[in-house]
Amino acid sequence: MTRQLMTGNAAAAWGARLAAVDYVPAFPITPQTEIIETLAAWFDDGSMQGRMTVLESEHSMVTAAGAAAATGVRVFTATSSQGLLHAMEMIYTVAGWRVPFVLVNVSRGLSAPITLEPDHNDVLAARDSGFLQLHCSTCQEVLDSVLIAYRLAEHSQVRLPIIVNQDGFYLSFTREPVQLPDPKQARAFVGDFDMGGLGFRAGMPESQAVAVLGGSPYSYFRYECHLAMQQALNAYDEIAGEFEQRFGRYHGVVEAFLTDNADYLFVMMGCFATKAKHAVLQLRKAGVKIGLLRPRLFRPLPEWRIRDICRGKKAVAVIDQNLSLGKGGVLHAELTSVLYGQSDMPAIVASFIGGLGGRDISQEEFFHIAEILQDAAISGQTPAPRLLYTQTEFREFKKLQAIAVYERHESKEQPT
Amino acid sequence: MSETIYRRMKDLPSTHLLGAGTAACAGCGGMQALHQIYDVFGDKTVFINAAGCMTLLSVYPFTPFSGSWLYSAMGSAPAGAQGVRDALDILLAKQRIPAEEDLSAVVLTGDGSAYGMGVSATSGAIDRNLDFLYICYDNEGYGNTGQQFSSATPHGAKTATSEGAAGYPGFKKDLFSLWVANKPAYVATVIGSEPLDLARKVEKAKQIKGPRLLLALAPCPTGWGFDPADSSAIGHLAVKTGIWPLKEYVDGRVVHNKIPRERLPVEDYLQKQQRFAHLFRPQRNEALLQEIQNRVDDYWDKVEPE
């Protein structure tokens, strides 16, 4: 095992290389590009044996990925943002094909306005597709998750594609020290591609994804996907346990940081959770009994683990890096549905929206959220959902607006 | 074409690979062509289908195909073929399957996908020189949804979304030329009512590697409005009036396989179909009829006699 500095994108590419993937259908999009550039170089110099095909769109890319997996090879691909949305029809389709492969999504905010910077609305748009979802917070976790993801996707009780998510820029382009597993050990852990009865071969006709008529076969197949998702929870524990035995790192269905004796919790996904952990340590020093709950597995949602951790807490703050327009934070809605009607759950589940389109969340804001939680616990009143946005930011934005309006007037007055 | 094994009707395959009893409409010109193409091409195939009439051939738990089948989506069947082809190549290269287990990737779509939503994926597949056969059954409209106009609909045809007195205002897209411009391995127009011409072209397409298109005009009794028994007759008229030129692009040039010496007037073809009835009743629309005739004449004027 060697330790080296690598970006989240390089870590994702290493995951694919160590899993000995056969096939990478690709299409470039920022901030995912470094993944396919890295893999392209490895295919070119022979470090990887297989094939990369650059498609003309993500819609085609995901079609090719699913079709290749259905033919019997191990497939890896990656995208971001609009790319994931452009492929969304096929994201749902290939999940219905029950073909296992890994797609790394490098999260980025969605148009409009167009931005390159991250939040989680892209990956959450795939929430109900039948893709499993793993959310990472470090570059190490990105690499490890890709290996775990192949085992999970190809598990005989699961047989579904999987998204491994990392935040654009904050992880994709940040170098962190990463333990690189020994290739032989990694290969042994992942194993050979498990066809699971898939494959198109002469003399062995196979019909995949045929039409159904009437709701009864349709309901059956859709519900089978749902049950497979639920099976993935048990399978995950087993696989994560084996991963820990082999590599010494444990990645549970959730990360629980200083939650045991906590009165308060931050709940969030992705790499901003590492900032929240830092805030937790500072707050602990100041005597605030707070912890962090980070779901790693978002689909299937590990509901009983989340309940276990939330049980007996006074108040929790769900910090969403997404905004379901007309509703609010997606994770907040998910969490309240998990906690509602269960005994001894926190009475206060406060909602905060932050980190949209790459906006940072500062330590001061975590401290402020902790204060709000403590006040809410005393008053018994759930605070109104809040967008993290400062007066300073607002003033700066007003300046931009002033410039935009000024320039428009100028161009009207001075026709060329 | 002296090298062909298909010289006479009795040379055509006498057994059929495609099972009977499908959900296709009686007299479907697309099925007629598909039957014949499949018989000559053989069942060492994976059909990658895009949304259209033929999607209803394989309905769980039945399939009429003796080879394999994968339904993809309307916009990306050629990308599905790419995935299948690449995966088979990888399996062959890594010796995980023997050469005799290899298959051909065959895209099967209607004109809605081939001329419209799937053009981007088709263009990509040609760019990448994908080794696949693309079969388009062209019934000149979105047949499976009740014959709304597509970009393959001929000028003046009435469809569910061009019900006005002048019919469809656009002009049928030239998919043949669109492919040819990109220098693929092979492109041919066929029709089910000309089985020898069709069989020879399929035979040729089978020997060639790379992107290949078989574009089959598919007379559609329900969408075009004619008696299912007349499907072949309508097909013959499409060829004899010069509306559907039988041609192929191979070795870098376009060849017409059948140049009608004395072309029948287009109205012989048009007046047998309900979708053109408004050109004749309550009174003849001379201007539109002449326009359609002129376009066909212009086409053939540019064709060099062989």
Side-chain angles (χ1 to χ4, degrees):
Chain A
M1 237 181 240
T2 59
R3 199 157 177 266
Q4 50 179 268
L5 278 174
M6 65 172 76
T7 60
N9 278 345
W14 267 107
R17 175 168 165 172
L18 293 173
V21 302
D22 298 301
Y23 184 49
V24 180
F27 188 80
I29 180 170
T30 301
Q32 152 268 27
T33 36
E34 187 192 3
I35 299 177
I36 58 165
E37 286 166 4
T38 306
L39 291 170
W42 286 338
F43 279 116
D44 283 345
D45 72 13
S47 342
M48 282 181 76
Q49 305 295 317
R51 181 182 285 225
M52 173 181 280
T53 297
V54 178
L55 280 296
E56 77 292 336
S57 75
E58 292 89 350
H59 188 277
S60 283
M61 177 184 90
V62 173
T63 307
T71 310
V73 297
R74 184 173 279 156
V75 180
F76 174 87
T77 190
T79 192
S80 291
S81 185
Q82 300 299 119
L84 185 69
L85 259 65
H86 185 49
M88 196 57 78
E89 181 192 23
M90 298 317 296
I91 290 288
Y92 272 74
T93 303
V94 298
W97 293 357
R98 304 293 302 273
V99 286
F101 68 89
V102 176
L103 182 152
V104 169
N105 186 65
V106 187
S107 262
R108 169 181 145 188
L110 298 171
S111 291
I114 187 167
T115 181
L116 300 177
E117 294 169 84
D119 65 39
H120 296 158
N121 263 106
D122 57 351
V123 65
L124 295 180
R127 182 184 67 174
D128 307 323
S129 63
F131 265 72
L132 303 141
Q133 282 198 15
L134 269 172
H135 289 249
C136 304
S137 71
T138 64
C139 295
Q140 180 75 63
E141 210 182 321
V142 171
L143 193 158
D144 293 350
S145 295
V146 171
L147 299 178
I148 289 170
Y150 278 104
R151 282 286 300 275
L152 189 59
E154 292 172 21
H155 192 280
S156 62
Q157 304 291 306
V158 181
R159 312 296 308 171
L160 285 168
I162 182 164
I163 292 171
V164 173
N165 197 68
Q166 62 165 316
D167 298 74
F169 293 80
Y170 288 95
L171 272 195
S172 67
F173 298 136
T174 300
R175 275 169 219 278
E176 292 181 343
V178 172
Q179 291 278 356
L180 195 61
D182 171 69
K184 277 193 186 130
Q185 277 189 310
R187 192 80 182 86
F189 170 75
V190 179
D192 289 333
F193 180 62
D194 179 358
M195 304 261 302
L198 292 173
F200 298 115
R201 304 284 180 272
M204 290 183 286
E206 188 77 44
S207 294
Q208 294 256 11
V210 297
V212 293
L213 293 178
S216 114
Y218 183 82
S219 305
Y220 178 88
F221 287 121
R222 295 307 287 178
Y223 202 69
E224 280 280 302
C225 279
H226 177 64
L227 294 177
M229 275 267 178
Q230 293 187 323
Q231 289 291 339
L233 279 175
N234 292 331
Y236 185 89
D237 283 338
E238 200 181 289
I239 295 161
E242 195 190 320
F243 188 90
E244 187 188 21
Q245 276 185 350
R246 287 178 188 248
F247 302 104
R249 291 184 294 278
Y250 184 67
H251 302 290
V253 288
V254 296
E255 181 184 13
F257 181 74
L258 301 180
T259 56
D260 282 352
N261 67 343
D263 291 329
Y264 308 101
L265 295 177
F266 294 131
V267 181
M268 58 194 304
M269 297 197 297
C271 73
F272 277 28
T274 54
K275 304 191 74 163
K277 278 158 80 173
H278 185 69
V280 163
L281 290 174
Q282 300 294 109
L283 285 159
R284 284 271 174 173
K285 273 187 202 157
V288 183
K289 288 164 78 178
I290 194 161
L292 167 88
L293 165 60
R294 176 173 70 90
R296 286 190 78 246
L297 203 51
F298 179 66
R299 277 294 178 275
L301 192 64
E303 296 187 301
W304 67 268
R305 284 289 291 142
I306 292 172
R307 281 185 202 123
D308 270 2
I309 292 162
C310 290
R311 184 162 288 118
K313 308 303 180 209
K314 290 180 181 165
V316 303
V318 183
I319 305 166
D320 272 285
Q321 274 169 266
N322 66 76
L323 180 55
S324 169
L325 305 177
K327 175 62 176 78
V330 172
L331 187 58
H332 180 260
E334 295 263 332
L335 204 82
T336 49
S337 85
V338 168
L339 304 184
Y340 184 82
Q342 305 289 324
S343 62
D344 203 17
M345 289 298 146
I348 309 288
V349 183
S351 171
F352 297 86
I353 310 287
L356 297 183
R359 184 208 183 264
D360 198 7
I361 302 177
S362 67
Q363 290 294 294
E364 288 71 26
E365 283 174 315
F366 284 111
F367 301 153
H368 185 55
I369 292 168
E371 264 175 43
I372 292 173
L373 284 187
Q374 292 170 80
D375 290 348
I378 293 164
S379 70
Q381 295 291 309
T382 299
R386 185 182 290 204
L387 173 71
L388 300 177
Y389 206 75
T390 61
Q391 282 291 337
T392 313
E393 280 176 289
F394 185 66
R395 277 196 301 274
E396 280 166 3
F397 181 71
K398 282 288 166 194
K399 274 188 208 163
L400 297 178
Q401 273 194 320
I403 293 167
V405 169
Y406 177 71
E407 285 186 344
R408 182 186 290 177
H409 283 304
E410 269 219 325
S411 63
K412 264 186 195 166
E413 283 160 15
Q414 300 172 353
T416 48
Chain B
M1 273 204 214
S2 55
E3 75 279 15
T4 183
I5 59 168
Y6 301 110
R7 291 191 184 135
R8 289 171 296 176
M9 287 296 277
K10 74 176 189 61
D11 299 331
L12 296 172
S14 55
T15 54
H16 297 299
L17 293 178
L18 199 64
T22 66
C25 304
C28 171
M31 274 297 280
Q32 188 187 24
L34 180 62
H35 260 290
Q36 299 172 34
I37 294 169
Y38 200 29
D39 286 346
V40 175
F41 200 80
D43 62 359
K44 284 180 80 168
T45 47
V46 192
F47 278 94
I48 297 103
N49 175 240
C53 297
M54 300 302 174
T55 300
L56 293 177
L57 293 183
S58 280
V59 177
Y60 190 82
F62 303 110
T63 179
F65 292 90
S66 50
S68 291
W69 173 268
L70 174 66
Y71 172 74
S72 55
M74 191 157 176
S76 60
Q82 181 81 49
V84 170
R85 186 64 264 154
D86 284 344
L88 287 167
D89 285 345
I90 290 163
L91 291 168
L92 290 165
K94 295 191 173 180
Q95 296 184 328
R96 286 189 224 153
I97 59 167
E100 57 270 23
E101 285 190 8
D102 193 18
L103 293 166
S104 294
V106 181
V107 164
L108 176 64
T109 78
D111 51 281
S113 175
Y115 285 74
M117 203 192 283
V119 166
S120 161
T122 306
S123 152
I126 299 171
D127 293 347
R128 296 184 298 268
N129 198 33
L130 176 64
D131 181 24
F132 79 127
L133 176 71
Y134 193 131
I135 302 169
C136 169
Y137 53 96
D138 179 0
N139 58 25
E140 305 192 320
Y142 294 101
N144 203 30
T145 44
Q147 198 72 10
Q148 298 80 22
F149 69 77
S150 75
S151 49
T153 298
H155 188 56
K158 252 188 197 176
T159 70
T161 44
S162 55
E163 293 267 17
Y168 175 60
F171 296 90
K172 186 178 175 76
K173 188 185 284 179
D174 187 354
L175 188 66
F176 184 93
S177 297
L178 209 63
W179 269 69
V180 165
N182 292 285
K183 300 186 171 54
Y186 186 68
V187 188
T189 59
V190 296
I191 190 161
S193 55
E194 299 287 346
L196 272 178
D197 175 76
L198 181 145
R200 287 168 191 157
K201 287 171 175 170
V202 178
E203 184 194 21
K204 194 174 283 183
K206 200 177 166 180
Q207 310 304 326
I208 298 173
K209 275 187 172 292
R212 292 153 285 161
L213 172 69
L214 290 173
L215 184 56
L217 184 68
C220 173
T222 47
W224 297 5
F226 61 82
D227 190 310
D230 294 337
S231 213
S232 284
I234 298 273
H236 287 307
L237 285 169
V239 175
K240 285 179 179 163
T241 56
I243 290 240
W244 190 249
L246 293 173
K247 55 185 173 180
E248 61 188 341
Y249 166 85
V250 66
D251 299 332
R253 65 191 202 106
V254 176
V255 177
H256 283 78
N257 313 97
K258 218 172 235 193
I259 301 176
R261 281 208 181 74
E262 284 174 45
R263 272 180 280 116
L264 296 177
V266 290
E267 61 182 81
D268 286 11
Y269 170 75
L270 303 176
Q271 67 189 357
K272 293 203 159 46
Q273 303 171 46
Q274 209 45 48
R275 63 175 174 159
F276 294 112
H278 59 292
L279 301 185
F280 303 95
R281 290 181 300 275
Q283 65 272 337
R284 284 172 64 88
N285 185 338
E286 290 296 350
L288 197 43
L289 283 168
Q290 197 55 54
E291 190 189 343
I292 295 169
Q293 184 66 60
N294 289 347
R295 291 182 74 83
V296 171
D297 292 346
D298 285 349
Y299 177 87
W300 288 102
D301 286 348
K302 292 188 188 85
V303 173
E304 299 276 326
E306 291 292 309

